[in-house]
Amino acid sequence: MLKIKNARRNNQRQTNIIKYDLPLFYRKQQVTATEAQVIALIPKGEDSKVTMTDLARLASLDTRTVQNIISSAKKKGVPILSSRKAGDSGYYIATTEEERRRGLATLRHQIKEISAGIEGVEGADLDRWQRSTGFNEQLEKIMKRKREMKYD
């Protein structure tokens, strides 16, 4: 379970819990033919990865469709993981417990980042965010540099 602290609903502070236990509904389903096609293109093992762009091209599908297929396959129990390391990113099918552990650590980190984003948006002052984040000052600096470059 993942706690999201200080969530706001109806102007009241409360703590929400997000469970990521999968319903049995997903675990009992078999992969579809299209899912099988995409899964077959994903290399086994962390040392051999395929990027989303390459996977979509190989499957003759758009990236959004491939992302949805991967999400669905994961829910059905296919151990598809990914790495986001610069120069070594891509999808793979875990073949060892160590690969699974590293891949799950990446997913858990993503959950924390998404949760932090949710908290930031929930706590944002809709009327004063530009002032409180220094947005206006940074934008003015950018515009000033652009004007200076234009006249150089």
Side-chain angles (χ1 to χ4, degrees), residues 2 5 16 20 26 28-30 40 45 51 59 74 76 78 84 87 100 105 110 117-118 122 125 150:
L2 172 70
K5 298 177 186 175
N16 292 336
Y20 47 86
Y26 286 113
K28 292 181 179 178
Q29 285 191 348
Q30 293 185 339
T51 66
K74 286 179 181 182
K76 293 175 182 179
V78 181
R84 292 183 170 207
R100 182 189 345 227
Q110 290 172 348
I118 290 170
E122 284 181 329
D125 184 326
K150 187 176 182 180

Side-chain angles (χ1 to χ4, degrees), residues 1-9 11-19 115 118-119 122:
M1 281 189 219
L2 172 70
K3 278 189 177 185
I4 299 178
K5 298 177 186 175
N6 300 329
R8 295 175 193 242
R9 185 173 288 156
N11 293 327
Q12 296 177 350
R13 289 184 148 212
Q14 64 183 40
T15 300
N16 292 336
I17 304 291
I18 296 176
K19 294 183 180 180
S115 294
I118 290 170
E119 288 181 27
E122 284 181 329

